[in-house]
């Protein structure tokens, strides 16, 4: 029945002179998302609105599911568009529309019509009144409420006549790409994919880096990270995933540094390497899945130690979230089931029994000093052997 969608966008509507940039980015992201659907679509801006029109057959459920993943959309209104074949015909269509869309008609309604085509024989007030009457006659169980109706029936009279009343909530946020780009430190865990999703929702494009430590971490562990990136890319578009071989760096730190500081020192090297790639690829910040107190390396003291090696801002959108809250988002976005697959993490292989929870940055710096030039050499090799995987849902 539905032939097109009217896309509502809240936040990006208020961006003043730059508004068209946001709208163009949203149109671009919608087109990208719909490439995965069956059917051809025309996506266009018209008079401060964005329309998605299906050219012929399309899969309604699938199309809505894709649109629900596009950041920047606040609401998706499925629209029935008909040719103007006289008011009688319009009444019939509206009555049939209500029968189809509202099996339970114990509801209040209001007709809200707009006449963009001024040669239409009735004025909008007249259309409202006359259509309202027709609906009441067809469905006596319905009643009018002009202040707070259950159903706001929109009738837009343009070249064609558009009828819509349902609003399916969109994900909100801003279109990806309008907020620059950031580098996500993506592990195989529950937290980091959620962190990436949250920052992307604010319009930020994602690149990602994964520290792989073969043979301590298997190919399956790496594949799991690729799979997680792919799930996140349903929302963000393609993700450039850098896979960095971290084994030699880890083993060397293990050899030279006190084991209770191992995790912190490793994390400092992860941040340094991530920042290096970030700067080279035009990223404006780093993103991690850290949350205060979740593990020893995420106490406020530990965060001071990992934070101080970076110049770029480190975005930690989960900082105040409990695990349960993070799991809820992971479930919503579809990463949870993959995240809990039991493949080893590079950090767990070397983790100390009693890691420091209050690292002293002075000690840490001194111990890092023992790593000499050799660590710089290892970092250089790790960067040189960066494996780039372009991850995308097809
Ligand atoms: P997650 O569930 O995201 O794995 P976690 O609770 O296991 O998080 P840590 O292992 O302390 O926490 O990692 C904290 C953050 O550091 C992660 O959220 C992620 O952003 C980053 N990180 C950890 N390990 C890696 C890795 N192997 N590759 C890339 N980033 C990593
Ligand atoms: Mg982890």
């Amino acid at each position: 029945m539905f032939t097109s969608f009217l896309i509502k966008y809240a936040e990006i509507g208020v961006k003043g002179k730059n508004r068209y940039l946001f709208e163009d980015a949203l149109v671009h992201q919608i087109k990208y998302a719909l490439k995965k659907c069956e059917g051809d679509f025309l996506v266009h801006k018209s008079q401060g609105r964005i329309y998605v029109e299906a050219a012929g057959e399309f899969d309604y459920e699938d199309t809505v599911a894709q649109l629900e993943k596009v950041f920047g959309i606040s609401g998706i209104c499925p629209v029935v568009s008909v040719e103007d074949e006289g008011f009688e015909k319009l009444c019939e269509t509206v009555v049939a529309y209500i029968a189809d869309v509202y099996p339970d008609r114990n509801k209040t309604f209001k007709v809200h019509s707009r006449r963009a085509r001024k040669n239409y024989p009735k004025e909008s007030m007249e259309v409202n009144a006359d259509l309202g009457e027709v609906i009441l006659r067809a469905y006596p169980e319905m009643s009018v409420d002009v202040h707070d109706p259950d159903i706001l029936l929109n009738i837009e009279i343009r070249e064609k006549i558009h009828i819509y009343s349902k609003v399916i909530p969109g994900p909100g946020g801003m279109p990806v790409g309008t907020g620059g780009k950031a580098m996500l430190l993506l592990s195989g865990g529950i937290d980091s994919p959620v962190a990436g999703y949250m920052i992307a929702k604010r319009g930020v494009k994602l690149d990602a880096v994964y520290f792989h430590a073969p043979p301590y971490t298997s190919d399956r562990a790496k594949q799991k990270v690729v799979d997680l990136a792919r799930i996140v890319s349903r929302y963000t578009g393609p993700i450039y995933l850098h896979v960095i071989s971290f084994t030699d760096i880890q083993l060397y730190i293990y050899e030279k540094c006190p084991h209770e500081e191992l995790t912190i020192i490793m994390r400092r090297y992860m941040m340094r390497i991530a920042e290096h790639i970030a700067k080279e690829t035009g990223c404006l910040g780093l993103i991690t899945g850290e949350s205060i107190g979740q593990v020893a390396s995420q106490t406020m003291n530990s965060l001071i130690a990992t934070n101080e090696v970076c110049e770029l801002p480190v975005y930690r959108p989960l900082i105040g979230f409990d695990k349960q809250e993070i799991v809820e988002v992971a479930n919503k976005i579809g990463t949870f089931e993959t995240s809990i697959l039991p493949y080893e993490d590079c950090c767990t292989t070397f983790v100390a029994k009693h890691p420091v929870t209050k690292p002293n940055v002075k000690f840490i710096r001194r111990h890092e000093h023992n790593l000499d030039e050799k660590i710089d050499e290892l970092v250089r090799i790790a960067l040189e052997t960066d494996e780039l995987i372009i991850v995308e849902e097809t």
Side-chain angles (χ1 to χ4, degrees):
M1 176 183 45
F2 296 112
T3 47
S4 59
F5 299 90
L6 168 66
I7 303 299
K8 297 201 160 177
Y9 44 93
E11 206 165 347
I12 67 171
V14 299
K15 294 291 172 187
K17 270 197 310 204
N18 288 332
R19 176 174 169 154
Y20 77 98
L21 291 176
F22 287 81
E23 289 172 338
D24 288 350
L26 185 53
V27 167
H28 181 270
Q29 290 301 109
I30 291 173
K31 284 183 178 164
Y32 175 81
L34 294 180
K35 273 202 279 186
K36 289 162 237 162
C37 294
E38 271 194 35
D40 284 331
F41 299 92
L42 184 66
V43 185
H44 63 98
K45 294 198 288 186
S46 154
Q47 294 163 339
R49 299 181 156 199
I50 292 174
Y51 292 93
V52 174
E53 278 174 41
E57 293 284 298
F58 73 107
D59 183 330
Y60 174 81
E61 303 292 335
D62 192 28
T63 306
V64 170
Q66 290 304 333
L67 291 172
E68 282 176 321
K69 296 196 181 78
V70 179
F71 296 136
I73 295 182
S74 66
I76 304 157
C77 306
V79 180
V80 170
S81 301
V82 290
E83 298 293 341
D84 178 12
E85 295 170 327
F87 192 69
E88 285 293 304
K89 183 73 186 160
L90 177 61
C91 294
E92 274 172 38
T93 309
V94 166
V95 167
Y97 173 95
I98 291 175
D100 253 17
V101 180
Y102 301 101
D104 169 20
R105 284 184 289 278
N106 259 316
K107 290 191 180 341
T108 61
F109 75 98
K110 171 184 175 179
V111 181
H112 177 63
S113 64
R114 256 162 316 206
R115 200 173 56 143
R117 177 157 61 80
K118 296 295 173 203
N119 68 357
Y120 194 74
K122 283 179 192 276
E123 287 197 9
S124 24
M125 293 298 273
E126 226 181 320
V127 174
N128 293 347
D130 294 355
L131 263 182
E133 215 169 287
V134 168
I135 294 168
L136 287 172
R137 222 179 303 134
Y139 307 114
E141 65 273 40
M142 294 182 77
S143 58
V144 172
D145 180 346
V146 291
H147 300 296
D148 186 23
D150 299 328
I151 303 171
L152 180 64
L153 185 70
N154 290 280
I155 309 286
E156 280 191 21
I157 302 168
R158 297 170 180 252
E159 205 44 53
K160 285 185 172 184
I161 300 178
H162 306 285
I163 305 161
Y164 63 91
S165 58
K166 277 209 313 181
V167 187
I168 302 161
M174 320 268 262
V176 169
T178 54
K181 188 167 74 164
M183 180 64 72
L184 169 65
L185 282 86
L186 182 62
S187 66
I190 297 169
D191 307 330
S192 44
V194 172
Y197 169 91
M198 288 179 67
I199 297 296
K201 188 174 170 199
R202 298 306 305 161
V204 176
K205 189 167 166 40
L206 299 183
D207 279 354
V209 55
Y210 165 58
F211 296 92
H212 189 39
Y216 302 98
T217 54
S218 64
D219 276 351
R220 287 196 309 180
K222 174 176 152 188
Q223 186 56 44
K224 176 178 159 182
V225 173
V226 174
D227 292 343
L228 285 170
R230 184 168 296 118
I231 298 169
V232 175
S233 80
R234 290 176 191 161
Y235 302 88
T236 62
I239 294 177
Y240 283 49
L241 172 66
H242 300 263
V243 179
I244 294 288
S245 283
F246 203 54
T247 317
D248 293 344
I249 294 173
Q250 250 180 337
L251 288 174
Y252 186 58
I253 298 172
Y254 193 70
E255 183 190 320
K256 294 280 183 181
C257 297
H259 289 181
E260 62 277 10
E261 287 175 5
L262 184 75
T263 308
I264 295 286
I265 295 179
M266 251 167 43
R267 293 201 45 72
R268 283 162 64 99
Y269 276 94
M270 283 187 187
M271 300 302 269
R272 288 180 175 113
I273 292 172
E275 182 174 68
H276 186 95
I277 308 171
K279 285 181 171 170
E280 286 203 330
T281 53
C283 291
L284 303 176
L286 304 176
I287 306 166
T288 74
E290 289 159 310
S291 146
I292 293 176
Q294 198 189 72
V295 287
S297 59
Q298 297 176 24
T299 62
M300 295 235 282
N301 287 279
S302 297
L303 288 167
I304 291 178
T306 34
N307 204 55
E308 72 149 12
V309 300
C310 300
E311 281 171 9
L312 287 178
V314 181
Y315 296 107
R316 300 180 174 92
L318 307 182
I319 203 69
F321 276 42
D322 293 345
K323 198 72 185 186
Q324 192 48 41
E325 293 169 308
I326 301 170
V327 166
E328 269 169 38
V329 185
N331 269 317
K332 186 182 83 179
I333 68 176
T335 51
F336 184 72
E337 294 300 325
T338 305
S339 287
I340 58 173
L341 293 173
Y343 309 135
E344 63 297 307
D345 176 336
C346 73
C347 306
T348 48
T349 317
F350 293 93
V351 84
K353 275 219 176 61
H354 301 289
V356 280
T357 53
K358 286 192 184 160
N360 180 321
V361 179
K362 274 193 207 133
F363 292 168
I364 300 265
R365 283 194 209 123
R366 196 177 308 147
H367 295 141
E368 274 184 358
H369 205 68
N370 296 339
L371 297 168
D372 285 334
E373 291 98 55
K374 182 163 172 203
I375 193 81
D376 299 336
E377 176 67 6
L378 292 176
V379 167
R380 195 180 54 75
I381 295 169
L383 285 166
E384 270 173 18
T385 53
D386 175 357
E387 180 197 1
L388 178 63
I389 305 174
I390 300 174
V391 184
E392 161 167 43
E393 183 85 316
T394 44

